[in-house]
């Protein structure tokens, strides 16, 4: 075992001891630390300057009470989080997740990933993440508004366009960002557009931000496919989830000539052999906020499977776009047996570590989330740029910028994986390229 591996193991064990019962955070740290060993062996300065010990410790962790009143007049209490992980490259930047499963370990894993993802975009953004264990399902618009206002009543004092800039994630879309921005504006008496991204177009949002994560993930896979002289044209694809990322992944795949035959939600999947009807999907999920099951009311050829495993559906390209650890090694085996050629992680950490290893060993093109889904935060960066210059770019111009950023991220992953002797291992490529930029900035900034 090399000296660098030994140190990494010690640091990892320390993280586990210091952050007990947070398996998702341990998993994210394990993946990054062990995959950057080749870099640490080549440049021991990162170990000498204790960059690893510093980077696994959030700069600040905020946990707060979120009281609100439901439609029956009853008081409800949730827990709010904002983990400001690393600001070496710029203000903390990362989404807010509202889901009943949220606790410190989830926010820490997402915040840690966000450091390297934001670094890969090439934009000046640090890493952070936040959210609440609030479950938005079945809540009225008024309940959502009261919750968002209460959440912001505490959060506002910790954020700002030069400090920390939240956005959306699971359970937080345009509606929630609008309510939070309204409350921020009211409390601070400032029209500070750059404090939140994912805003509506009417009040400082950017075109393409809604589509950005799904489009970006598809562009990333398009670049990977070029390595094998392949394209999306005529490929059968499966996209898990049916939220923001999934919907715009389906849209871009269809534009590029692929066919998405299945999407899902946490209750089951729907499979439509003719290809998913995108307009219906948007109507059901974005407008009516219905369950994916209702798709079959409109398409009699489509099949809904309650609790079904979407990865059993044969496809050439899989885009897991729902949540962490949704695709395990058994699913990977089935997908490979069914002729899979590429995986693009639209979600954060959707594939378990053994599934990732198997994909890479089997020669499946694998785009890790921190690279493949970076288009969302990259376009948030573009939104901040427009807010700062008080300008509005048109759709095509913004999409071209997003595409260029995704191509650059892919090139960084490819060149770095080649340089360190792991060709086509974009996990190693993304982690080393993302880490190096942050670590170098931390060296420049001194021990802070
Ligand atoms: P949404 O809330 O819009 O959609 C989430 C989708 O995933 C829903 O279909 C939801 O189903 C499903 N889902 C959520 N949790 C689970 C679960 N525990 N088991 C099964 N299905 C689940 O979120 P987004 O589309 O924004 O986010 C999806 C993923 O993409 C997340 O991992 C997020 O971190 C990541 N991501 C998002 C970005 C963005 O810009 N929005 C940027 C980068 C990454 P149901 O309705 O039944 O809960």
């Amino acid at each position: 075992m090399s000296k660098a591996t030994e140190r990494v193991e010690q640091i990892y064990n320390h993280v586990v001891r210091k952050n007990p019962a947070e398996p998702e955070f341990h998993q994210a740290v394990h993946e990054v630390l062990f995959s950057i060993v080749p870099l640490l062996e080549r440049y021991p300065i990162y170990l000498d300057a204790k960059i690893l010990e510093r980077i696994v410790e959030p700069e600040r962790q905020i946990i707060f009470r979120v009281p609100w009143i439901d439609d029956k007049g009853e008081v409800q209490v949730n827990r709010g989080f904002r983990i400001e992980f690393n600001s070496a490259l710029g203000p903390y930047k990362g989404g807010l997740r509202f889901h009943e499963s949220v606790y410190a370990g989830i926010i820490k894993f997402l915040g840690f990933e966000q450091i390297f993802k934001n670094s890969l975009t090439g934009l000046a953004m640090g890493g952070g993440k936040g959210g609440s264990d609030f479950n938005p399902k079945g809540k009225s618009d008024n309940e959502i508004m009261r919750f968002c206002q209460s959440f912001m009543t505490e959060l506002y004092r910790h954020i700002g366009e030069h400090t920390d800039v939240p956005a959306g994630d699971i359970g937080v879309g345009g509606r929630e960002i609008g309510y939070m921005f309204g409350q921020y504006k009211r409390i601070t008496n400032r029209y500070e557009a750059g404090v939140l991204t994912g805003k509506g177009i009417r009040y400082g949002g950017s075109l393409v931000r809604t589509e950005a994560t799904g489009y970006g993930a598809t562009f990333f896979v398009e670049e990977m496919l070029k390595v094998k002289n392949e394209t999306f044209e005529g490929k059968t694809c499966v996209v898990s989830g049916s939220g923001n990322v999934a919907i715009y992944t389906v849209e871009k795949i269809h534009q590029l000539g692929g066919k998405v035959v299945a999407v899902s939600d946490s209750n089951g999947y729907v499979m439509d052999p003719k290809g998913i009807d995108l307009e219906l999907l948007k109507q059901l999920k974005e407008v009516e906020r219905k369950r994916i099951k209702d798709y079959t009311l409109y398409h009699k050829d489509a099949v809904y499977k309650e609790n079904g495993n979407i990865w059993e559906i044969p496809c050439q390209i899989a885009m897991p776009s729902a949540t962490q650890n949704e695709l395990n090694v058994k699913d990977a085996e089935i997908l490979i047996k069914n002729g899979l050629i590429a995986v693009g992680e639209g979600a954060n950490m959707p594939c378990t570590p053994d599934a990732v290893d198997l994909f890479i060993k089997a020669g499946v093109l694998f785009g890790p989330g921190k690279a493949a889904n970076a288009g969302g935060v990259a376009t948030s960066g573009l939104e901040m740029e427009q807010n700062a210059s008080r300008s509005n770019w048109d759709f095509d111009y913004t999409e071209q910028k997003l595409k260029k950023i995704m191509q650059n991220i892919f090139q960084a992953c490819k060149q770095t994986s080649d340089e360190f002797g792991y060709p086509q291992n974009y996990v190693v490529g993304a982690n080393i390229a993302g880490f190096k930029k942050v670590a170098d900035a931390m060296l420049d900034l001194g021990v802070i």
Side-chain angles (χ1 to χ4, degrees):
M1 193 189 291
S2 75
K3 252 177 90 177
T5 312
E6 231 170 79
R7 268 286 289 286
V8 160
E9 212 158 278
Q10 282 165 6
I11 295 163
Y12 172 71
N13 289 335
H14 185 71
V15 167
V16 172
R17 270 199 308 280
K18 227 175 157 184
N19 303 271
E22 295 180 355
E24 297 86 359
F25 179 48
H26 305 162
Q27 185 181 333
V29 169
H30 190 280
E31 185 210 284
V32 172
L33 294 197
F34 283 89
S35 71
I36 61 170
V37 165
L39 176 81
L40 303 174
E41 284 168 346
R42 196 179 292 183
Y43 304 107
I45 177 75
Y46 300 123
L47 290 175
D48 297 343
K50 303 268 165 73
I51 295 292
L52 299 191
E53 286 86 340
R54 289 195 261 157
I55 215 165
V56 296
E57 187 67 30
E59 289 175 13
R60 191 175 298 108
Q61 305 187 51
I62 302 145
I63 302 184
F64 51 99
R65 178 172 66 199
V66 190
W68 57 282
I69 297 177
D70 69 16
D71 285 348
K72 292 190 209 111
E74 284 202 25
V75 175
Q76 303 288 339
V77 181
N78 286 97
R79 184 171 284 183
F81 300 87
R82 187 71 186 167
I83 309 266
E84 298 179 332
F85 226 115
N86 192 295
S87 59
L89 294 181
Y92 309 105
K93 181 89 200 84
L96 297 169
R97 176 177 290 193
F98 292 169
H99 193 268
E100 63 273 24
S101 63
V102 163
Y103 75 107
I106 293 274
I107 302 299
K108 274 195 216 161
F109 118 65
L110 291 164
F112 186 69
E113 288 280 288
Q114 199 79 44
I115 304 171
F116 311 106
K117 180 187 307 193
N118 294 3
S119 161
L120 283 169
T121 65
L123 304 174
M125 299 184 290
K129 200 83 187 188
S132 174
D133 57 1
F134 172 72
N135 176 6
K137 276 193 206 108
K139 302 287 191 297
S140 69
D141 276 358
N142 275 329
E143 289 177 319
I144 299 280
M145 181 177 73
R146 287 195 293 273
F147 176 80
C148 289
Q149 290 176 339
S150 179
F151 187 81
M152 186 51 85
T153 300
E154 172 58 34
L155 188 68
Y156 89 95
R157 68 189 86 242
H158 309 289
I159 62 176
E161 64 177 319
H162 301 297
T163 316
D164 183 354
V165 184
D169 190 77
I170 290 178
V172 178
R175 175 181 57 171
E176 291 75 16
I177 294 289
Y179 293 148
M180 286 191 273
F181 183 68
Q183 184 73 347
Y184 182 84
K185 187 175 78 59
R186 184 186 189 193
I187 296 176
T188 59
N189 191 29
R190 277 159 66 87
Y191 204 103
E192 187 186 335
V195 71
L196 286 171
T197 59
K199 297 182 294 296
I201 300 304
R202 286 191 280 263
Y203 63 94
S206 171
L207 290 169
V208 192
R209 177 60 189 90
T210 303
E211 295 83 357
T213 309
Y215 277 22
T218 311
F219 289 143
F220 190 93
V221 173
E222 191 184 25
E223 294 304 307
M224 289 201 301
L225 290 170
K226 284 182 192 164
V227 172
K228 294 199 172 172
N229 286 322
E230 287 282 6
T231 66
F232 269 101
E233 193 66 48
K235 300 284 186 309
T236 301
C237 309
V238 166
V239 178
S240 65
S242 50
N244 172 265
V245 178
I247 289 172
Y248 292 96
T249 299
V250 174
E251 182 160 288
K252 188 47 77 181
I253 290 177
H254 285 179
Q255 287 172 9
L256 295 177
K259 182 164 82 166
V260 178
V261 295
V263 290
S264 62
D265 61 21
S266 55
N267 296 113
Y269 71 73
V270 67
M271 143 91 157
D272 187 343
K274 291 199 188 120
I276 291 295
D277 175 344
L278 182 66
E279 289 320 306
L280 175 61
L281 182 66
K282 285 186 182 177
Q283 177 66 25
L284 290 174
K285 299 307 267 189
E286 293 185 326
V287 182
E288 298 176 25
R289 299 183 191 274
K290 293 255 177 72
R291 308 303 299 160
I292 202 64
K293 182 178 171 183
D294 294 318
Y295 185 98
T296 52
L297 297 174
Y298 301 86
H299 283 287
K300 299 296 171 202
D301 296 347
V303 183
Y304 173 72
K305 199 160 173 201
E306 185 87 12
N307 295 323
N309 181 359
I310 195 168
W311 308 121
E312 287 173 3
I313 300 169
C315 64
Q316 290 148 298
I317 299 170
M319 305 277 288
S321 306
T323 194
Q324 62 277 353
N325 293 324
E326 55 164 309
L327 193 165
N328 63 30
V329 70
K330 286 214 171 76
D331 303 324
E333 279 165 12
I334 298 168
L335 283 162
I336 292 167
K337 203 175 85 213
N338 286 339
L340 184 79
I341 59 168
V343 178
E345 290 190 319
N348 284 307
M349 213 168 74
C351 301
T352 58
D354 46 0
V356 176
D357 289 345
L358 187 60
F359 286 138
I360 291 172
K361 266 194 212 110
V364 170
L365 296 163
F366 180 79
K370 66 171 73 64
N373 71 35
V377 73
T379 309
S380 278
L382 303 180
E383 183 174 334
M384 291 160 75
E385 218 175 303
Q386 292 169 78
N387 292 152
S389 60
R390 297 185 183 275
S391 52
N392 296 299
W393 304 340
D394 70 26
F395 194 96
D396 289 345
Y397 177 78
T398 317
E399 186 182 358
Q400 281 317 307
K401 282 211 161 220
L402 165 65
K403 187 167 183 174
K404 186 79 202 135
I405 291 172
M406 296 315 297
Q407 288 172 335
N408 290 345
I409 294 176
F410 175 73
Q411 283 309 321
C413 294
K414 184 175 178 309
Q415 282 161 14
T416 310
S417 60
D418 287 344
E419 185 191 334
F420 284 86
Y422 290 81
Q424 269 188 46
N425 185 331
Y426 305 130
V427 174
V428 169
N431 285 334
I432 291 183
F435 172 87
K436 191 167 184 311
K437 195 165 162 224
V438 184
D440 289 341
M442 287 173 75
L443 290 176
D444 290 345
L445 295 174
V447 179
I448 52 168

